[in-house]
Amino acid sequence: MDTEQARGESTLMNIATVSDLEGASGDLLILPVFEERVWGPGAAEIVQSLGDWLESYFDGLDFTGKVGQAAAVPGDDRFGRILFLGLGAEADADTLRKVAGIGGRAATRYARVVTTLAQVEIDGAGDAVVYGFLLGQYTFDKYLSKPKPAQTTDLVLVGDVGADDIERGRVVAAGVALARDLVNEPAAGKKPEVLASIAADMAAAAGIDTKVYDEVEIEAEGFGGLRAVSLGATNPPRMVVLDYQPEGATKSLALVGKGIVFDSGGLSIKPASGMETMKTDMSGAAAVFGAIKAIAELGIAVNVTAIAPLTENMTGGAAQRPGDIFTARNGKTVEVLNTDAEGRLVLADGLSLAVEAAPDLIVDVATLTGACMVALGKKVAGVFSYDDDAAAQVEAAAARGGEKVWRMPFEKEYRSKLDSPIADIKNIGDRYAGAITAALFLAEFTDERPWAHLDIAGPARAENDDGYITKGGTGFAVSTLVALAEDMAG
Ligand code: BES
Ligand code: MN
Ligand code: ZN
């Protein structure tokens, strides 16, 4: 994989605006419809010009304008085809993103697409429509002998849509698309050194400073958790640190992303079925890369550091053994009783490093536990913290970013589950509350600073296309992290 391929091609299309529908033309027109078939912006005129048959045709389809409903009809002299999309009773930004995603996916065969979706009266409608449309068109087809990229070259938004809105939608979508590309890439194509150089190239292009620690520096710098996990792998680990320091920034945010490019479980090996999707286990790293890229491109006035420990978790002859002990970057010793609880080991070093710069807020993002997925399912991420303000900041940012998160208890009484008789802490608890004990483990490395942990084991990957979500890597958390940086910039 190279940087050229990791660029979210769909996000490069031309996006223009026209003040009203009259005089516009294209291959496809997308029109919104509210519940009970209340015509959205521009739709009534078009429906009238199409003729009486349309209402009875929609009756027959039971197309009433429910969220996600879609009905296409042949066009007129100006549009090749007309697609009506249901927005439900009261659309919000989430619905608009989702419906624009459905529109984007339905529009892939049309070169010039015109829509009045951004005229729906919602703050940031243009942003939501651009974001959803671009991500709905996302494909990962580089390994197909017959790639089928989206044919859309022009998206025309009808209405008074601000350039900043369009820019934000495009830039955040490009950050998400980068994260999806990195997650969808097979592990063989994203060895730690390769992924580190893709991140470094991305950073250079976005005006972000980069430091990459190689395996020798990782050992010398005391990144003991990252080193321990990497011992079973032939491909050497990397610690990536990206630094965005804009002028005028007063606050600082550290983002730490779990970067296990493949999780076999190590010697505590996973069953074959559990390994099938474990190239996804670097989704946290992908999210912090996508987020810092978008934050820098938008010029948000916050200092942001993205830290990503990258390694495979493999079973080679030099692999760490259950019962082994290592010393983490912050000096704490860890007894590793299950090598499949590896994410927390590399995050221990990532968080320790983040703490050293004393940022105002630290957020880590990780596909950390199956237990979190059992608790919250595939669509909702867990938020964990001892700090109510930090958790609330992440919850607010996620709400604005259109991503579902739920605060989980940070139950300190469970800390004793991690007591080891021979080290400062062990890396697993018992069979209960596995997502919480994982968070309690991470908290040993945050020095009681403002911190929140996002467990994205469920939503990092989707089994099906759904709105702007595409099957495979989702790029979850990019949108939330960008919103968080904006909130901190004030
Ligand atoms: N990467 C996995 C968590 C995971 C599982 C993410 C399934 C997405 C889908 C993580 O490294 C892991 O293996 N966690 C173990 C921890 C256990 C050994 C304490 C788990 O959740 O089973
Ligand atoms: Mn694991
Ligand atoms: Zn893992």
Side-chain angles (χ1 to χ4, degrees):
M1 162 175 231
D2 58 34
T3 319
E4 186 62 12
Q5 290 161 314
R7 63 179 188 197
E9 275 167 276
S10 69
T11 64
L12 297 173
M13 75 177 64
N14 302 312
I15 304 175
T17 59
V18 293
S19 54
D20 66 278
L21 196 50
E22 222 172 308
S25 62
D27 303 302
L28 179 71
L29 172 64
I30 300 179
L31 296 168
V33 184
F34 296 102
E35 187 75 80
E36 294 179 9
R37 216 178 293 153
V38 173
W39 302 119
E45 294 86 330
I46 296 285
V47 167
Q48 204 172 30
S49 74
L50 287 174
D52 291 342
W53 60 273
L54 193 111
E55 290 270 9
S56 61
Y57 175 67
F58 280 179
D59 285 343
L61 294 176
D62 201 22
F63 176 82
T64 58
K66 288 193 179 64
V67 177
Q69 278 190 323
V73 299
D76 51 19
D77 49 345
R78 293 189 294 146
F79 299 100
R81 204 162 173 80
I82 300 174
L83 174 65
F84 293 84
L85 293 180
L87 268 181
E90 254 178 286
D92 54 15
D94 285 351
T95 314
L96 204 50
R97 274 185 283 251
K98 180 187 169 95
V99 170
I102 294 169
R105 184 170 302 108
T108 50
R109 286 180 294 118
Y110 301 91
R112 182 178 166 86
V113 179
V114 180
T115 183
T116 61
L117 270 172
Q119 285 184 301
V120 173
E121 284 178 20
I122 289 169
D123 277 351
D127 176 353
V129 170
V130 169
Y131 179 87
F133 189 91
L134 295 180
L135 289 176
Q137 292 215 327
Y138 174 87
T139 52
F140 184 76
D141 57 10
K142 59 184 277 204
Y143 291 107
L144 295 178
S145 54
K146 294 189 185 73
K148 291 188 214 84
Q151 303 294 308
T152 309
T153 54
D154 291 89
L155 174 63
V156 181
L157 303 176
V158 179
D160 183 17
V161 188
D164 287 355
D165 250 15
I166 293 173
E167 178 68 359
R168 188 182 186 281
R170 188 206 291 274
V171 168
V172 182
V176 175
L178 169 66
R180 288 183 185 179
D181 280 345
L182 298 177
V183 173
N184 289 332
E185 180 69 26
K190 56 183 178 193
K191 295 169 184 170
E193 45 188 324
V194 174
L195 187 49
S197 78
I198 293 169
D201 289 352
M202 172 279 286
I208 299 167
D209 294 335
T210 306
K211 163 79 184 153
V212 177
Y213 298 84
D214 66 19
E215 67 272 32
V216 177
E217 293 167 300
I218 284 167
E219 186 167 0
E221 289 290 329
F223 297 126
L226 177 56
R227 179 176 174 275
V229 174
S230 76
L231 288 172
T234 302
N235 300 312
R238 292 290 182 266
M239 175 71 90
V240 176
V241 182
L242 306 181
D243 241 310
Y244 165 62
Q245 307 279 338
E247 257 170 58
T250 55
K251 293 272 177 61
S252 54
L253 170 65
L255 305 174
V256 184
K258 172 177 172 180
I260 302 296
V261 302
F262 184 76
D263 184 10
S264 74
L267 289 177
S268 311
I269 195 165
K270 288 182 184 295
S273 63
M275 249 183 255
E276 280 175 14
T277 59
M278 279 302 134
K279 68 174 184 181
T280 307
D281 215 18
M282 39 58 76
S283 294
V288 306
F289 293 156
I292 198 170
K293 168 180 147 80
I295 290 165
E297 288 177 359
L298 292 172
I300 301 170
V302 182
N303 296 311
V304 180
T305 305
I307 298 173
L310 307 178
T311 183
E312 298 176 341
N313 186 24
M314 301 293 279
T315 59
Q320 66 173 338
R321 292 145 291 235
D324 283 354
I325 294 175
F326 72 84
T327 304
R329 167 85 173 183
N330 73 349
K332 292 196 182 180
T333 57
V334 179
E335 183 184 15
V336 178
L337 290 175
N338 189 317
T339 64
D340 197 14
E342 85 297 336
R344 64 197 72 183
L345 309 185
V346 305
L347 290 172
D349 292 329
L351 289 167
S352 300
L353 183 64
V355 160
E356 291 167 25
D360 296 297
L361 178 62
I362 303 172
V363 177
D364 78 75
V365 186
T367 47
L368 203 63
T369 67
C372 196
M373 216 187 320
V374 170
L376 296 175
K378 290 278 300 160
K379 307 250 172 181
V380 182
V383 179
F384 301 78
S385 186
Y386 45 70
D387 182 325
D388 291 347
D389 288 340
Q393 281 185 75
V394 170
E395 289 179 285
R400 207 156 66 73
E403 297 184 315
K404 292 174 187 162
V405 305
W406 193 256
R407 177 133 185 227
M408 299 284 279
F410 187 83
E411 182 46 68
K412 289 178 182 158
E413 279 200 47
Y414 296 161
R415 171 59 183 80
S416 59
K417 290 176 190 280
L418 298 172
D419 287 347
S420 161
I422 59 167
D424 295 335
I425 191 168
K426 63 188 171 88
N427 79 328
I428 49 166
D430 56 23
R431 58 193 294 242
Y432 301 115
I436 300 175
T437 50
L440 288 161
F441 181 94
L442 298 180
E444 296 289 318
F445 304 90
T446 60
D447 205 20
E448 296 175 19
R449 295 199 60 85
W451 158 77
H453 157 58
L454 255 185
D455 192 332
I456 62 166
R461 183 171 193 88
E463 298 319 318
N464 299 103
D465 293 345
D466 178 16
Y468 61 82
I469 299 290
T470 47
K471 181 176 162 67
T474 59
F476 190 93
V478 170
S479 176
T480 295
L481 296 176
V482 174
L484 181 64
E486 285 172 336
D487 292 346
M488 288 179 76

